[in-house]
Amino acid sequence: MTNRIFFRSLLAVSLLTGSVSVASSAYAADPAAATQSTQNDFLGNLSQKEDNLNNRVKNYQTQSAASQAERTQKIQTLKSQYTNAPANEKANIQNKINNERDKLNTARTAQTEKVQKLRNAPQEQKNRLNALGKKSRSDATNFLNGGL
């Protein structure tokens, strides 16, 4: 029993050491690694992804605000038509105004939901990464304790 635990722990340590030595020698053999900037490391990639996400959110908010302003202007135009319209066209114009208001409210709600979803994406990714790390640790612990 003791030999089996010793053998498994020795095997696990040798596998880890071998993978680290292979990775470090591959890194040392890479000529691009000598000129690698901080943008290529893990934190650099995360910060770049966050910057890209922030830019996407700003662009989406700008486009959405322009769309909402256009729709608001259309509502104002319809209201002015309504005040100057003959009695038989007022109901038709009022329906158009109501439709445009509904579309504007839907667009505002969709914008809010999409911005929240985009802003919550990094936290969801972090949660998935933490869950993967916990599973890997538990798998390694189970392997070293003899239970697969």
Side-chain angles (χ1 to χ4, degrees):
M1 178 73 180
T2 306
N3 286 338
R4 190 169 132 198
I5 293 173
F6 176 74
F7 175 71
R8 284 189 177 194
S9 61
L10 186 62
L11 178 64
V13 169
S14 65
L15 287 173
L16 288 173
T17 321
S19 63
V20 168
S21 65
V22 167
S24 63
S25 65
Y27 181 78
D30 186 12
T35 60
Q36 188 177 33
S37 68
T38 58
Q39 291 294 355
N40 292 334
D41 64 357
F42 183 71
L43 294 177
N45 287 339
L46 285 179
S47 66
Q48 188 176 13
K49 285 181 182 180
E50 185 176 356
D51 291 342
N52 290 342
L53 180 65
N54 288 336
N55 289 337
R56 284 178 50 203
V57 168
K58 286 179 187 175
N59 290 341
Y60 178 74
Q61 286 177 326
T62 303
Q63 290 173 353
S64 188
S67 170
Q68 290 175 16
E70 180 182 325
R71 208 166 282 287
T72 304
Q73 181 63 35
K74 192 171 185 179
I75 290 172
Q76 292 301 323
T77 305
L78 286 171
K79 282 183 179 179
S80 67
Q81 285 178 359
Y82 180 82
T83 57
N84 298 328
N88 59 352
E89 289 184 25
K90 284 191 175 187
N92 186 22
I93 294 174
Q94 185 61 45
N95 286 338
K96 287 181 182 179
I97 290 172
N98 291 339
N99 287 339
E100 290 299 321
R101 280 187 187 152
D102 291 342
K103 289 177 184 177
L104 182 61
N105 290 336
T106 303
R108 286 180 179 158
T109 304
Q111 177 195 9
T112 304
E113 290 173 358
K114 186 170 182 175
V115 167
Q116 288 298 341
K117 182 180 176 183
L118 288 172
R119 287 195 173 147
N120 291 337
Q123 184 61 37
E124 292 173 7
Q125 185 178 14
K126 184 178 178 182
N127 291 343
R128 285 195 309 265
L129 187 63
N130 287 341
L132 180 62
K134 287 177 184 176
K135 178 158 179 21
S136 298
R137 283 191 293 277
S138 67
D139 288 347
T141 302
N142 288 340
F143 177 74
L144 292 175
N145 290 335
L148 289 173

